[in-house]
Amino acid sequence: MTPTPALFARQTTPILDGWAFAPAELPANADWHAVVEAGSTVTLPHTWNATDGQAGGDYLRGRCTYARRIVAERGSTQTWVEFDGVNSSAAVYLNGRLLAEHDGGYSTFRVNVTEQLVHGEGTLVVVVDNAANERVYPQQADFTFYGGIYRDVRQISVGAASFALDDHGAPGLRVDPTIDGSRADVALSAVVTGAASVVRFTIEGEAAETVAVVDGEARALLPIESVRRWHGLRDPHLYTARAELLIDDAVVDVAELRFGCREFAVDPQRGFLLNGEEYPLRGVSRHQDREGVGNVLTEQMKLEDLALIREIGANTVRLAHYQHDQGFYDLCDEAGLVVWAEIPQITVFLPGAVDNAREQLTELIVQNRHHASIVCWGLSNEITLAGSGEEVVAAHRELNDLAHRLDPSRLTAMANLFLLETDHPLVRLPDVMSYNLYFGWYVGEMADNDTWLDDFHATFPEIAIGLAEYGADANPQYQAAEPAKGDYTESYQALYHEHMVGMIAERPWLWATHVWNLADFGSAGRDEGGAAGRNQKGLVTFDRSLKKDAFYVYKAAWSSEPFVHIAGRRRAERAEDVTEVIVYSNQREVTLVVDGVEHGTVAAERAFRFRVPLTGDHQIVARAGDLEDTVTLHKVDEVPEASIMPTTTIANWFDDAPLPAPEGYFSIQDSLGDIKRSEEGAMLIASVLEAVSTSRGEVGRGVEIPPAMQAIVDRMSVEKLIKQAGGVPIEQVAALNARLNLIAK
């Protein structure tokens, strides 16, 4: 018996199999067979850049076509198709007619296909486009823009009445809790389409109320008399809110969300406060892609990322640089991780994409404002690389106001490029902000991070500041006895993060800090550090199979799980007569045992260092109570060439045969600032600066260095800049030095 349309209850069905895919744009009226003939059949989720998007260089960016037959559910009144993520633009057709277009590759959108179903059936064609343009963010960024229908797709069938499906992908139920002492009042609302007149709201185990639909909306205010607060890692308690749409006491639609009750604030001196307690946010950023699959992630992969974040003891994650999958926000809610959520307005401001930024922010907020984990909405990331004029400021003011209208309960945030002047209006525009600082990697030295942050805090004590990004690339293949900035070694990355974690610990006023990045990620524009097509700043590798030594630096600082880890285990062959053995642990003392004999005990915090003579093969054991870790080291005459980054041969060559530095004349050992005082030297050095600015792929284009940052660059020697840039032939370095030798100081 077919149910009457009035009493038809919502049915949601995943439609993941049976899709045809063609790597080209086909006519909108193409049938399923035509698409198969031009391509193949695929199962969603799917991306066409899983391989080429991670290989470096060009990858397929353009329009591709998906097609599938759909059939309406008997008895339903309306049929919708819900897409969780299509990158980056989608045009949706049914039986050859354009029904909807969506710009933005990271948010949910729905398409009403009812009117075009012929006899309840039709061919759905989705043309997906990830080609470059000037109207949809992102366009220039340090990550790959994987094309495809890469998240789940569902068919939603409803009757004559339902919760609204046309509100920017919103879940149909809104939950807004407020806390007053031990009590919480939870405002619940739902927009209704159709003839239903009653909605029953429930907070499981707490309260329920049935209310009338007035002007298409139902509202209720339900109390939680003794509220249990969501309190991060310590107690991530969640409540369940439910809305039931009733017709003649029959439930025809249901919307259900989990939410948490908590209060938070940011204080410029005390940092982040959760439920009135100081709760320094210390964690990582995360990109959603993975080696071999691009951004087509399984649930197990998401759980693995969560487990890695929890293992190091982080209490926050910045989900960069776009809206992530609903399932991962759910995992953060459950785990108690505080989340920075953001839109992909990044790197270069696009005047033609102002409307798109507003739409992506709207979708981010209305789809995710129920998540207890989220505390701020990120408006942009490093948006001032190519300019920071009034139009940029005006667009951000509009976004800031929009975010507060859509969600007055949360903060707005920005991640500022480390080149942005600290007195720029964008610094004060959002509720909170953080800087992306890379002193000790791209420019300057590690200690410049300390100085820069201290200067900011002293100059602007009324402004809360955090670190949205900081990091150093590391290819675990490369190791060094004497690690140096720019050598891409696992050794230097660990040394860098040792400094950074100590620096952060001494500055509790940093409201949030996020390591860049949890894992290596795809960046097609990069070709450096011995691996094309990826950014290697991750604490773990792209496939998540290897935890770099820096991972254990943070585990030692933040985790309460007892452990010891001997660093440098991938530097098993060592040429030095006396080697340094570094152990990371969260224990107070570590004992080193060499070839069964106790070598020594060190009391320290996080990093424990031992000097060990090498004469042959040695078994090294680190112990702390019942904990232990073991490696084997081998004395060799020369370290394997494969363990040294090829570009670092420049540094080794300098050490073996220093270039001339005649007295009274410049050389590559002189600082940029000193050389630039000479007109002839300034002209010559311009070529070096150009090489440095373009050595990081497309995100280096158009960089303008402000005076404050230029002062730090000017303190660097030409030699250091060349080492950092990498890939400069020795002959060119020698030629540059020879030309400098002709310029009198």
Side-chain angles (χ1 to χ4, degrees):
M1 180 179 178
T2 302
T4 64
L7 296 179
F8 184 91
R10 178 191 294 223
Q11 295 184 25
T12 302
T13 307
I15 48 174
L16 305 178
D17 57 2
W19 285 84
F21 169 74
E25 182 179 11
L26 298 184
N29 60 356
D31 64 16
W32 184 88
H33 296 285
V35 180
V36 171
E37 288 176 2
S40 60
T41 59
V42 297
T43 298
L44 301 185
H46 174 264
T47 176
W48 62 76
N49 298 125
T51 300
D52 67 351
Q54 303 177 349
D58 292 336
Y59 59 106
L60 178 59
R61 294 188 65 183
R63 294 181 179 179
C64 297
T65 307
Y66 294 84
R68 190 188 194 278
R69 294 286 295 172
I70 60 172
V71 180
E73 292 287 346
R74 294 183 62 191
S76 64
T77 300
Q78 291 191 11
T79 302
W80 293 70
V81 179
E82 179 179 70
F83 298 87
D84 282 349
V86 180
N87 198 42
S88 60
S89 295
V92 182
Y93 302 83
L94 190 69
N95 294 329
R97 180 183 174 188
L98 178 64
L99 298 184
E101 293 179 296
H102 183 263
D103 289 328
Y106 306 99
S107 53
T108 296
F109 67 96
R110 304 186 186 103
V111 180
N112 189 341
V113 301
T114 308
E115 293 185 4
Q116 278 302 113
L117 287 171
V118 179
H119 305 298
E121 299 183 8
T123 298
L124 188 71
V125 173
V126 185
V127 178
V128 183
D129 186 2
N130 70 335
N133 62 71
E134 295 295 324
R135 60 182 179 78
V136 183
Y137 281 112
Q139 290 301 323
Q140 186 174 326
D142 186 18
F143 58 92
T144 297
F145 308 145
Y146 301 95
I149 306 178
Y150 69 95
R151 291 183 187 152
D152 287 355
V153 180
R154 302 170 198 85
Q155 180 174 319
I156 301 175
S157 304
V158 296
S162 69
F163 293 122
L165 290 163
D166 59 355
D167 182 18
H168 304 282
L173 171 62
R174 178 168 178 174
V175 183
D176 294 296
T178 56
I179 301 175
D180 185 6
S182 62
R183 173 191 171 102
D185 289 307
V186 184
L188 303 170
S189 61
V191 176
V192 176
T193 59
S197 59
V198 174
V199 173
R200 180 166 59 218
F201 291 110
T202 305
I203 299 177
E204 185 177 0
E206 297 293 336
E209 184 177 357
T210 301
V211 300
V213 177
V214 179
D215 295 330
E217 186 172 10
R219 296 174 177 269
L221 186 66
L222 299 186
I224 300 176
E225 296 296 345
S226 297
V227 66
R228 180 175 169 184
R229 299 183 183 221
W230 188 92
H231 199 83
L233 300 179
R234 189 174 76 196
D235 186 12
H237 181 73
L238 297 171
Y239 292 93
T240 299
R242 181 180 175 90
E244 296 171 306
L245 188 60
L246 306 176
I247 296 179
D248 297 332
D249 294 327
V251 178
V252 297
D253 204 358
V254 174
E256 189 172 275
L257 296 174
R258 291 182 304 169
F259 69 98
C261 298
R262 76 283 185 273
E263 296 175 300
F264 59 86
V266 173
D267 184 275
Q269 304 303 322
R270 300 173 64 195
F272 186 77
L273 307 174
L274 181 61
N275 296 318
E277 300 178 11
E278 293 179 0
Y279 194 81
L281 296 181
R282 304 292 181 255
V284 298
S285 295
R286 173 190 183 255
H287 264 298
Q288 67 180 0
D289 66 336
R290 184 179 287 228
E291 187 174 19
V293 299
N295 50 14
V296 178
L297 301 187
T298 65
E299 293 306 310
Q300 181 59 35
M301 292 174 182
K302 297 170 196 171
L303 288 170
E304 288 172 1
D305 278 6
L306 177 70
L308 289 167
I309 296 169
R310 297 185 69 174
E311 183 179 346
I312 63 173
N315 63 5
T316 181
V317 59
R318 180 183 174 210
L319 295 181
H321 288 296
Y322 38 74
Q323 182 170 329
H324 284 230
D325 181 80
Q326 279 292 324
F328 202 81
Y329 294 113
D330 289 338
L331 291 175
C332 293
D333 289 344
E334 297 165 2
L337 290 172
V338 173
V339 169
W340 171 322
E342 65 189 33
I343 59 172
Q345 183 173 224
I346 182 170
T347 308
V348 176
F349 177 74
L350 302 175
V354 170
D355 290 343
N356 181 251
R358 284 196 291 259
E359 179 61 21
Q360 291 204 51
L361 182 63
T362 298
E363 291 177 331
L364 174 70
I365 293 175
V366 302
Q367 292 173 24
N368 295 284
R369 57 192 166 199
H370 62 283
H371 288 292
S373 55
I374 297 175
V375 300
C376 63
W377 306 117
L379 307 179
S380 64
N381 176 78
E382 297 188 348
I383 197 63
T384 58
L385 184 142
S388 55
E390 179 52 39
E391 63 176 352
V392 180
V393 177
H396 280 74
R397 286 198 189 101
E398 289 187 17
L399 289 176
N400 195 61
D401 292 343
L402 174 64
H404 288 140
R405 287 197 303 272
L406 293 172
D407 181 13
S409 71
R410 285 184 178 84
L411 304 171
T412 54
M414 283 182 64
N416 292 324
L417 181 69
F418 72 133
L419 300 173
L420 182 68
E421 291 283 22
T422 56
D423 60 353
H424 193 278
L426 287 175
V427 173
R428 294 175 179 267
L429 191 150
D431 298 321
V432 293
M433 64 85 203
S434 292
Y435 264 83
N436 298 350
L437 299 183
Y438 285 99
F439 299 118
W441 183 243
Y442 289 133
V443 68
E445 306 301 331
M446 299 179 200
D448 289 325
N449 292 286
D450 314 39
T451 302
W452 193 97
L453 288 167
D454 288 343
D455 287 348
F456 183 98
H457 189 56
T459 306
F460 305 105
E462 75 284 4
I463 303 177
I465 186 171
L467 266 175
E469 291 183 23
Y470 63 96
D473 288 81
N475 183 336
Q477 174 183 338
Y478 301 136
Q479 306 289 329
E482 298 181 2
K485 181 179 69 175
D487 64 10
Y488 290 88
T489 61
E490 182 181 17
S491 322
Y492 181 79
Q493 185 195 44
L495 188 66
Y496 168 92
H497 282 293
E498 279 189 48
H499 176 86
M500 294 301 291
V501 78
M503 185 274 292
I504 290 168
E506 295 170 358
R507 291 160 177 81
W509 39 265
L510 290 170
W511 79 273
T513 63
H514 296 95
V515 177
W516 191 258
N517 195 279
L518 170 66
D520 297 347
F521 57 90
S523 181
R526 284 183 177 250
D527 186 2
E528 60 185 276
R534 68 185 60 182
N535 184 309
Q536 298 182 91
K537 292 185 183 67
L539 301 181
V540 301
T541 52
F542 201 3
D543 63 0
R544 276 57 166 184
S545 67
L546 186 151
K547 300 168 184 172
K548 303 178 191 179
D549 285 337
F551 179 93
Y552 295 95
V553 172
Y554 287 96
K555 187 172 181 178
W558 296 340
S559 175
S560 60
E561 176 191 357
F563 82 100
V564 290
H565 169 79
I566 301 176
R569 61 207 316 111
R570 282 165 285 279
R571 195 169 75 87
E573 297 179 306
R574 305 188 180 190
E576 60 265 31
D577 294 329
V578 178
T579 194
E580 183 178 57
V581 175
I582 303 173
V583 179
Y584 296 129
S585 177
N586 51 11
Q587 303 303 290
R588 293 186 176 182
E589 289 187 347
V590 171
T591 298
L592 202 71
V593 178
V594 180
D595 299 329
V597 178
E598 186 172 312
H599 180 76
T601 298
V602 170
E605 187 175 4
R606 297 186 293 272
F608 303 77
R609 286 176 158 79
F610 303 85
R611 302 288 292 173
V612 178
L614 290 181
T615 57
D617 294 345
H618 302 281
Q619 184 187 64
I620 311 293
V621 180
R623 290 179 180 156
D626 295 333
L627 305 168
E628 69 175 42
D629 190 24
T630 303
V631 300
T632 300
L633 302 182
H634 313 281
K635 178 69 167 67
V636 295
D637 293 333
E638 293 184 3
V639 297
E641 288 187 9
S643 69
I644 302 172
M645 226 294 264
T647 58
T648 63
T649 56
I650 296 174
N652 294 336
W653 185 74
F654 286 154
D655 295 337
D656 295 339
L659 292 171
E663 185 175 354
Y665 293 86
F666 290 114
S667 73
I668 61 170
Q669 296 177 14
D670 288 299
S671 71
L672 287 178
D674 288 343
I675 296 171
K676 286 162 60 180
R677 292 190 184 98
S678 160
E679 182 178 351
E680 188 177 356
M683 293 176 61
L684 178 59
I685 212 66
S687 61
V688 177
L689 295 178
E690 175 66 17
V692 172
S693 68
T694 59
S695 66
R696 301 295 168 188
E698 67 171 10
V699 294
R701 296 199 311 264
V703 175
E704 298 178 0
I705 302 179
M709 185 62 60
Q710 189 65 58
I712 294 173
V713 175
D714 285 347
R715 291 200 295 268
M716 298 179 68
S717 69
V718 176
E719 179 180 351
K720 282 189 175 181
L721 275 173
I722 292 173
K723 289 179 182 179
Q724 179 64 25
V728 182
I730 291 172
E731 293 79 9
Q732 291 185 20
V733 179
L736 173 63
N737 189 71
R739 294 178 66 184
L740 286 169
N741 291 167
L742 299 175
I743 303 174
K745 292 185 176 179

